[in-house]
Amino acid sequence: MDRVRIFSDYLERKGLKTTNQRNVILKAFLNSRSHCSTEDLYLKLRKKHPRIGYATVHRTLKLLAESGIAIEQHFGDGQARFEPARADGHHDHMVCIKCGLIIEFEEPQIEELQKQVAEVHHFKISNHRHELYGFCFRCADK
Amino acid sequence: MDRVRIFSDYLERKGLKTTNQRNVILKAFLNSRSHCSTEDLYLKLRKKHPRIGYATVHRTLKLLAESGIAIEQHFGDGQARFEPARADGHHDHMVCIKCGLIIEFEEPQIEELQKQVAEVHHFKISNHRHELYGFCFRCADK
DNA sequence: TTAGATATTGAAACTGGTTTTCAATATCTT
DNA sequence: AAGATATTGAAAACCAGTTTCAATATCTAA
């Protein structure tokens, strides 16, 4: 089922309304490069849809995150970033502290270990964040 | 070497000055429960030292983090928290999203695996964050 | 020990991302 | 098509954090 439909269904379940702005923002989000901030998306949309406000973009991104279509990330620069959730599951991030490059990684063994650690503490994980900060191959050389 | 001395040395190396406020804040920080925010520490200090300002507390916590005495944490509630660095090395956190309980954990195998993942991507880790969000044993029951 | 140079302090103003407000507008239900 | 309800955009509010600035404290060198 495509994500436009998933979103409409989510809105309906919540007693919210499907609007033109929400659809436009959803589509722009899905087409955007990953890890875009509200600002990024707002500026991008502005070209074709100058009447859509920043607040609406941000509210819609929050809704997308709630509905599971988007994942909200915080990489420590004080600005939320959103990326489309993937069918192929969870991944984590390496963030270059020099150039800002974001590399995604997936490591099932780590996931398994953290599950075990949680069990030891009788802790029920609902989500997690695992981020490596440092220098990407390009920036490490210098 | 005790941490008051470590801090003085750090300040001197940086051409900064050892002041009464900085020492008072350092001591209060070391005696505080872990993971306190600037606000927490400011309010606590206020009782005995009502003339110390919020800005000074925050500036000093930043200096403590720079000097390696404190570790700055961000658990997604939009407020930085600081904890005394431990001699026994690094640890990560589980955060209860209901009651706020913070459990520390340490898992060398995860550290090793993340090192390997970074190598694959020619990424040089300078630090990382690994946080599990969910329900602690007490909150999971309900 | 003291004078001069420099850093620190506290209060208040400012920042920047985010969130809320509110009157006008759009959507949905019947 | 009308009434009820949610959404919109602009602007204001919010909030942790940071900066400003004049007064004060610390440090250095004589």
Side-chain angles (χ1 to χ4, degrees):
Chain A
M1 188 161 69
D2 83 304
R3 287 173 287 189
V4 176
R5 168 57 67 84
I6 291 174
F7 190 42
S8 303
D9 287 358
Y10 173 80
L11 292 175
E12 193 172 359
R13 272 203 310 287
K14 288 279 188 175
L16 304 177
K17 291 169 180 172
T18 299
T19 67
N20 223 9
Q21 285 92 327
R22 284 177 176 162
N23 282 326
V24 166
I25 292 165
L26 169 55
K27 283 173 193 156
F29 170 67
L30 294 175
N31 290 328
S32 74
R33 69 173 181 78
S34 297
H35 312 112
C36 65
S37 63
T38 300
E39 182 78 9
D40 290 341
L41 198 55
Y42 169 65
L43 291 176
K44 186 180 166 184
L45 276 163
R46 231 179 170 202
K47 295 170 199 161
K48 291 198 121 184
H49 304 275
R51 324 211 54 224
I52 293 184
Y54 179 97
T56 301
V57 175
H58 193 261
R59 284 187 281 227
T60 303
L61 284 170
K62 286 290 194 187
L63 283 174
L64 291 173
E66 282 169 30
S67 71
I69 292 167
I71 307 281
E72 183 172 348
Q73 304 284 356
H74 294 261
F75 294 141
D77 64 349
Q79 157 167 268
R81 289 169 191 286
F82 297 82
E83 62 177 331
R86 302 269 193 66
D88 61 351
H90 173 79
H91 62 263
D92 291 296
H93 299 87
M94 299 179 216
V95 182
C96 180
I97 56 182
K98 186 148 186 212
C99 73
L101 178 70
I102 295 169
I103 301 169
E104 300 176 353
F105 73 91
E106 214 174 331
E107 181 45 73
Q109 288 184 73
I110 291 178
E111 309 274 322
E112 181 55 32
L113 282 165
Q114 77 183 7
K115 211 169 114 190
Q116 288 173 19
V117 170
E119 269 164 24
V120 170
H121 294 271
H122 306 287
F123 187 87
K124 196 162 179 296
I125 300 176
S126 73
N127 60 71
H128 75 271
R129 46 196 299 176
H130 192 178
E131 290 139 24
L132 313 183
Y133 296 89
F135 299 94
C136 71
F137 62 99
R138 197 179 298 279
C139 295
D141 291 338
K142 295 199 294 190
Chain B
M1 188 161 70
D2 83 303
R3 287 173 286 188
V4 176
R5 168 57 67 81
I6 291 174
F7 190 42
S8 302
D9 287 359
Y10 173 80
L11 292 174
E12 192 171 1
R13 273 204 309 286
K14 288 280 189 173
L16 304 177
K17 291 169 180 173
T18 298
T19 67
N20 224 7
Q21 285 92 328
R22 283 176 178 165
N23 282 328
V24 166
I25 293 166
L26 169 55
K27 283 172 194 156
F29 170 67
L30 293 176
N31 290 328
S32 75
R33 70 175 180 77
S34 298
H35 313 114
C36 65
S37 63
T38 300
E39 183 78 10
D40 291 340
L41 198 55
Y42 169 65
L43 292 176
K44 185 180 166 183
L45 276 164
R46 231 177 169 203
K47 296 171 198 162
K48 290 199 122 182
H49 303 274
R51 324 212 54 226
I52 293 183
Y54 177 97
T56 302
V57 175
H58 194 262
R59 283 186 282 226
T60 303
L61 283 170
K62 286 290 195 187
L63 283 173
L64 290 173
E66 280 169 33
S67 71
I69 292 168
I71 307 282
E72 184 172 348
Q73 303 284 355
H74 294 260
F75 294 141
D77 64 349
Q79 156 167 268
R81 289 170 190 286
F82 297 83
E83 63 177 330
R86 303 268 194 66
D88 60 352
H90 173 80
H91 63 262
D92 291 297
H93 298 87
M94 298 179 217
V95 182
C96 180
I97 56 182
K98 185 149 186 212
C99 73
L101 178 70
I102 295 169
I103 301 168
E104 300 175 353
F105 72 91
E106 213 174 331
E107 181 43 75
Q109 288 184 71
I110 291 178
E111 309 275 322
E112 180 55 31
L113 282 165
Q114 78 183 5
K115 210 168 115 191
Q116 288 173 19
V117 170
E119 268 164 26
V120 170
H121 293 270
H122 306 288
F123 187 87
K124 196 162 179 293
I125 300 176
S126 71
N127 59 72
H128 75 271
R129 46 196 301 176
H130 191 178
E131 290 139 24
L132 313 183
Y133 295 90
F135 299 95
C136 70
F137 62 100
R138 196 179 297 281
C139 294
D141 291 339
K142 297 197 293 190

